[in-house]
Amino acid sequence: MDVTDPRALALNWINHKDKMMLVASDENFFQRYILALLAFEFSNLGWISDVKSDGNECNWLGVVCDQDGHVIKLMLDDSGLDGTMPPEIGSLGYLQILTMSGNSLFETLPYELGNLKNMSELYLDGNKFTGPLPSEIGNLERLTALDLSGNDLTGTLPLELGALNKLTKLSFESNQISGTLPSELGNMIELTALMLSGNRFSGTLPPDLGHLSKLVEVDLRNNQLRGILPSELGNLSNLTQLKLSYNAFTGRLPSDLGNLKMLSILDTTKNMFTGSLPSELGHVNKLTELRLDMNEFTGNLPSELGNLNMMTDLMISVNGFNGTLPTEMGNLEELLTISCNGNVFSGTLPTELGRLKKLDTFYLFSNKFDGSIPSELGHLTSLTSFSIYSNQLTGTLPSWIGDFTELRELDVSGNGFAGTLPSELGLLKGLTLFRIDKNEFTGTLPSWIGDLRDLSL
């Protein structure tokens, strides 16, 4: 063995330099050897120098032992560790919690981790691990939390993970794992968080996910998943967040999603969903964020959306929605953002929208709205962005827009507005974007425009 190898250094230290003077027959000899190996693999731990003042490894920084002196926790988050994980760590048979998040550990995960039968929490997120996930992880039947997010893992998810039926958190976010999601995930009946975003998963969602009735959060964003959503997702009665954006899902949203009474965030941005929205979404009365941008939805917005009076963000841009905006949208008095741009909405703007007094961002551009701007919208004095360009709106630009003192962006270009610009617009000192081109305004450009220092015309 190379005398500079951490194993050789650890063995030499424990046999010749360690003040504890253990021999191989001592119960804690091998445990101490493994920790010494870690100390030589990761010299910045400082454990070996600590021995000069205290020989008991249970007092080393980040090490926790039980009353019998067995190591049960290694808490080494953000410790500047740079190197490989020694497979010998799999021989710490009493270990229950291993956290090494936020380091620079690299190469593959040792399959010997599967020997840690008492392990309940394994946090190795924020490192540089590569290669596939060892199937032996499926042996950790007491595991409740597994977080390997933020690495460079590849390969597929081992079917053996399905044996982890005590797991509550599974996070592999921001890796390069591919293949389909195994149906065996449906055996993790205690799971509350399934976090798989930022990988290369493909194929369809297994209906077996509908067995995970304790799920609170599902994050599958930024993968290559496709096909229709299984109706069994409607069984996830405790779900609060369902994030599916940037995949290739198709078909209609299942009406069963209306059963998700606890859901607060539904995000299907940048998929290929089609058809009209199920009216049953109006039953999800805890919904705060509905993000459906960049799909192929069509039809009218269901009036039942007006029941969602906790909604703060309604994002449905770049679809094929048509018809008029339902007057019931005026019931959504907690709304901060409406993004309806890039659809085929038509008709006049409902006067009921004037009740949305908390509204900050109002995007209606690139539709076919007509008629004048209703005076009731003058109540929206919290607006910072008001963009209605590329419609068929007519009439004059109302003077009450000057009351929108928080306004930063005002774009009314590409409509049929006429008359002169109201002088009250000069009160909007914070405007950074102001566009009025492609209308039928008359008169000269007002002098107050020169007072708007950060303006982009």
Side-chain angles (χ1 to χ4, degrees):
M1 182 184 295
D2 183 353
V3 294
T4 64
D5 184 280
R7 291 164 183 79
L9 293 171
L11 195 58
N12 179 64
W13 176 81
I14 199 170
N15 283 325
H16 303 292
K17 300 179 181 180
D18 183 9
K19 294 183 179 180
M20 294 288 286
M21 294 184 292
L22 298 179
V23 296
S25 59
D26 289 323
E27 181 181 3
N28 284 354
F29 178 87
F30 195 47
Q31 169 179 284
R32 191 166 175 83
Y33 162 74
I34 294 170
L35 294 185
L37 170 56
L38 287 174
F40 283 106
E41 178 71 34
F42 310 116
S43 58
N44 56 322
L45 282 175
W47 286 347
I48 298 304
S49 60
D50 286 347
V51 175
K52 296 175 182 178
S53 58
D54 190 341
N56 191 333
E57 68 267 22
C58 293
N59 293 325
W60 295 359
L61 184 65
V63 180
V64 178
C65 297
D66 62 16
Q67 60 185 6
D68 298 317
H70 302 128
V71 175
I72 59 173
K73 297 180 184 180
L74 281 180
M75 316 287 281
L76 303 176
D77 294 341
D78 302 308
S79 299
L81 308 183
D82 187 349
T84 60
M85 180 181 287
E88 288 84 353
I89 202 169
S91 296
L92 294 174
Y94 291 91
L95 196 61
Q96 299 172 16
I97 297 176
L98 175 59
T99 69
M100 303 177 82
S101 307
N103 288 290
S104 297
L105 303 175
F106 55 86
E107 293 189 1
T108 58
L109 291 167
Y111 69 85
E112 288 85 355
L113 288 174
N115 297 331
L116 301 173
K117 300 297 178 63
N118 288 303
M119 183 78 73
S120 63
E121 298 179 23
L122 179 57
Y123 290 94
L124 301 175
D125 49 297
N127 282 285
K128 301 176 182 178
F129 288 115
T130 57
L133 187 67
S135 60
E136 289 79 4
I137 295 292
N139 297 334
L140 307 180
E141 296 180 357
R142 296 186 181 183
L143 205 61
T144 62
L146 176 58
D147 191 344
L148 292 167
S149 59
N151 283 283
D152 293 307
L153 298 173
T154 56
T156 60
L157 289 185
L159 304 183
E160 290 81 358
L161 289 182
L164 305 179
N165 56 16
K166 292 183 174 60
L167 205 64
T168 61
K169 177 183 179 179
L170 177 63
S171 180
F172 293 141
E173 294 179 292
S174 300
N175 281 282
Q176 301 179 51
I177 305 172
S178 58
T180 59
L181 298 181
S183 60
E184 286 78 3
L185 292 179
N187 298 331
M188 298 179 175
I189 55 175
E190 298 297 321
L191 204 62
T192 61
L194 178 61
M195 317 295 286
L196 303 177
S197 66
N199 281 282
R200 299 177 180 176
F201 291 115
S202 57
T204 59
L205 289 188
D208 308 75
L209 294 182
H211 300 157
L212 307 179
S213 59
K214 295 185 179 181
L215 269 180
V216 173
E217 185 173 0
V218 173
D219 191 348
L220 303 176
R221 294 174 295 171
N222 294 287
N223 280 287
Q224 299 164 22
L225 297 165
R226 56 179 173 79
I228 62 173
L229 294 185
S231 60
E232 288 81 358
L233 293 181
N235 299 333
L236 306 180
S237 56
N238 288 295
L239 199 64
T240 65
Q241 298 185 26
L242 179 57
K243 300 177 180 179
L244 306 173
S245 59
Y246 291 88
N247 280 285
F249 290 115
T250 56
R252 295 173 175 265
L253 289 183
S255 59
D256 306 78
L257 295 182
N259 299 330
L260 305 181
K261 307 299 185 185
M262 304 299 292
L263 196 66
S264 63
I265 298 176
L266 175 59
D267 186 355
T268 72
T269 304
K270 197 62 173 70
N271 280 279
M272 294 184 285
F273 288 111
T274 57
S276 56
L277 296 184
S279 60
E280 288 82 359
L281 284 181
H283 302 158
V284 188
N285 54 18
K286 292 193 176 181
L287 202 61
T288 60
E289 298 181 21
L290 181 59
R291 299 175 178 269
L292 310 177
D293 299 321
M294 293 182 285
N295 281 277
E296 299 173 16
F297 290 115
T298 56
N300 296 345
L301 286 185
S303 60
E304 289 83 357
L305 293 184
N307 299 331
L308 306 178
N309 56 15
M310 296 178 66
M311 181 91 74
T312 60
D313 295 274
L314 177 60
M315 317 283 283
I316 58 174
S317 64
V318 193
N319 280 285
F321 290 117
N322 54 39
T324 59
L325 292 181
T327 59
E328 289 81 1
M329 284 180 64
N331 299 332
L332 308 180
E333 297 185 9
E334 297 299 315
L335 270 180
L336 302 175
T337 301
I338 293 179
S339 177
C340 297
N341 51 286
N343 284 285
V344 202
F345 289 118
S346 58
T348 58
L349 298 179
T351 59
E352 289 80 2
L353 295 178
R355 299 206 295 262
L356 309 181
K357 296 181 180 179
K358 295 183 180 180
L359 203 60
D360 172 89
T361 302
F362 200 5
Y363 288 159
L364 299 177
F365 60 86
S366 299
N367 279 287
K368 296 184 177 181
F369 292 114
D370 57 31
S372 59
I373 300 177
S375 60
E376 287 80 2
L377 296 194
H379 300 302
L380 307 182
T381 54
S382 295
L383 281 181
T384 64
S385 296
F386 186 34
S387 188
I388 53 176
Y389 70 82
S390 296
N391 279 285
Q392 299 166 17
L393 296 168
T394 56
T396 59
L397 207 56
S399 59
W400 44 254
I401 291 182
D403 297 331
F404 294 178
T405 55
E406 301 298 320
L407 204 60
R408 299 293 178 266
E409 299 181 1
L410 175 61
D411 192 341
V412 300
S413 61
N415 282 284
F417 291 116
T420 58
L421 294 178
S423 60
E424 288 81 359
L425 294 181
L427 301 174
L428 305 178
K429 303 300 185 182
L431 270 186
T432 58
L433 185 147
F434 180 48
R435 290 192 58 194
I436 58 172
D437 54 290
K438 299 179 183 177
N439 280 286
E440 300 176 15
F441 291 116
T442 57
T444 58
L445 204 59
S447 59
W448 52 257
I449 286 183
D451 298 329
L452 304 178
R453 297 180 180 179
D454 298 319
L455 189 61
S456 173
L457 294 173

